[in-house]
Amino acid sequence: MQTKLINFSKYSSFKIGGVFEVALLEDDFSCINDYYLIGSCNNTLVGNNPPPLMMLSKKYDYIKIENNTLKIGGATPSGKVASFCKKHNIANFEFLSHLPGKLGGLVFMNAGLKEYEIFNHLVDITTPQGMMQKESIEFGYRFTNIASPILEATFSLEYGFDVQKVEMFQKMRANQPSTPSAGSCFKNPQGDYAGRLIEAVGLKGLMQGDMCFSEQHANFLVNCGEGTFNDAIWLIKEAQKRVCKEFAIRLECELVILES
Ligand SMILES: Cc1cc2nc3c(=O)[nH]c(=O)nc-3n(C[C@H](O)[C@H](O)[C@H](O)COP(=O)(O)OP(=O)(O)OC[C@H]3O[C@@H](n4cnc5c(N)ncnc54)[C@H](O)[C@@H]3O)c2cc1C
């Protein structure tokens, strides 16, 4: 199996992590139970000792229009999908122009902005075990029960790219920090906001090393320079501890922590 050395302090959106070897998945799927699958690590905090890692090869970076559907490979970056849809006047993917990730990671996380989620127009996915129809997948807010690498996803095809939606998504992003992060650190608990709770327990802006919950948006854990995995974990645990003590709410991480 081919491998690739990746420097996660450059590759991950957090800009945290060492240099680790990553197996490239192409046609041989015999190792998938022994490795952890990554996409573009826009939702991932890479630890000092991550498990063995794998990623889809370039073979899965494609977009095709077929039988009145859109077929997208799991390794296709969101920006490429957004550009393709703009060029071909395709509707419903405008939100991807401001949402970083590869298609497999986006589908696995059911990523989205407000009510615009990647599952909205999903038809089926292809995994090494075969196809799964949307109806057979459990999914919800930043959650799916998919337990296998997503090699391809099929979406219904509608025409009419909406530039106004792109502008709307851009505005939604205006209050979010541009400092390296992995987007929202915690899922919003039902009926509340993780950012409000983090602020209420005095953690907004508190620096641990070079990491903090952003002054601009308290649910964004940001790396202000040389932030480390240990600093990030300290803040995550501190937030969970304080919020549990004061509000009896368990904050669940939205970001994925990769540590053995
Ligand atoms: C600035 C910023 C803003 C963000 N804003 C949002 C937002 O508004 N809404 C939102 O939903 N997210 C947001 N995110 C998070 C991120 O964009 C999404 O979670 C995205 O889906 C991550 O994709 P990825 O390829 O980077 O996945 P990774 O971080 O690499 O992986 C995430 C998870 O997906 C799994 N995975 C990856 N590829 C596959 C595959 N092919 N098959 C099966 N599982 C796979 C991994 O095992 C892991 O569990 C933001 C991130 C950043 C940095």
Side-chain angles (χ1 to χ4, degrees):
M1 177 172 300
Q2 269 195 303
T3 61
K4 190 175 171 182
L5 268 187
I6 293 190
N7 181 349
F8 285 91
S9 71
K10 295 205 165 83
Y11 185 77
S12 73
S13 59
F14 254 137
K15 308 296 172 214
I16 290 177
V19 179
F20 299 106
E21 197 163 59
V22 179
L24 289 178
L25 273 187
E26 201 153 299
D27 301 309
D28 175 5
F29 301 109
S30 54
C31 75
I32 57 174
N33 293 326
D34 305 321
Y35 290 73
Y36 189 87
L37 180 64
I38 56 166
S40 49
C41 288
N42 277 287
N43 199 45
T44 299
L45 174 60
V46 179
N48 304 319
N49 241 321
L53 301 171
M54 61 182 173
M55 70 195 307
L56 297 180
S57 79
K58 281 262 172 211
K59 179 179 171 186
Y60 298 98
D61 178 354
Y62 59 80
I63 312 173
K64 298 185 279 197
I65 295 176
E66 228 174 74
N67 304 329
N68 216 26
T69 63
L70 201 57
K71 290 194 179 287
I72 309 179
T76 314
S78 54
K80 186 169 175 175
V81 179
S83 305
F84 182 93
C85 291
K86 186 174 179 190
K87 186 172 168 204
H88 296 272
N89 190 30
I90 293 168
N92 304 325
F93 294 86
E94 294 86 351
F95 70 105
L96 290 186
S97 35
H98 296 286
L99 214 168
K102 289 187 182 169
L103 201 272
L106 293 159
V107 172
F108 177 79
M109 297 298 301
N110 188 17
L113 281 150
K114 302 245 157 93
E115 69 270 34
Y116 300 89
E117 291 180 332
I118 195 85
F119 259 65
N120 291 3
H121 300 278
L122 184 75
V123 175
D124 61 45
I125 61 168
T126 305
T127 74
Q129 285 79 31
M131 270 172 64
M132 284 176 82
Q133 298 295 321
K134 177 180 173 178
E135 293 70 34
S136 66
I137 303 171
E138 280 177 39
F139 64 95
Y141 165 58
R142 307 293 171 266
F143 159 79
T144 66
N145 69 342
I146 299 167
S148 198
I150 300 157
L151 306 177
E152 182 183 274
T154 309
F155 298 90
S156 50
L157 182 62
E158 283 172 41
Y159 285 97
F161 184 87
D162 187 342
V163 181
Q164 277 173 346
K165 274 197 185 151
V166 177
E167 285 161 13
M168 180 183 80
F169 293 124
Q170 201 163 7
K171 280 197 190 127
M172 282 184 189
R173 286 260 173 256
N175 74 332
Q176 294 185 351
S178 50
T179 325
S181 75
S184 297
C185 180
F186 299 106
K187 295 184 183 185
N188 285 322
Q190 214 165 11
D192 212 330
Y193 292 97
R196 185 195 79 78
L197 296 165
I198 290 166
E199 189 171 355
V201 297
L203 280 176
K204 184 174 177 173
L206 180 92
M207 296 297 295
Q208 170 72 15
D210 268 353
M211 301 294 299
C212 72
F213 288 108
S214 169
E215 289 279 10
Q216 215 177 328
H217 191 307
N219 194 23
F220 269 52
L221 182 59
V222 292
N223 179 358
C224 302
E226 303 294 313
T228 64
F229 174 75
N230 293 351
D231 297 333
I233 287 293
W234 186 88
L235 282 165
I236 290 170
K237 292 208 165 131
E238 193 62 20
Q240 287 175 323
K241 195 169 77 187
R242 290 193 197 184
V243 168
C244 187
K245 195 165 165 219
E246 283 203 30
F247 298 100
I249 293 174
R250 163 111 183 96
L251 281 182
E252 189 192 337
C253 273
E254 179 170 323
L255 58 82
V256 176
I257 299 169
L258 288 185
E259 183 70 333
S260 307

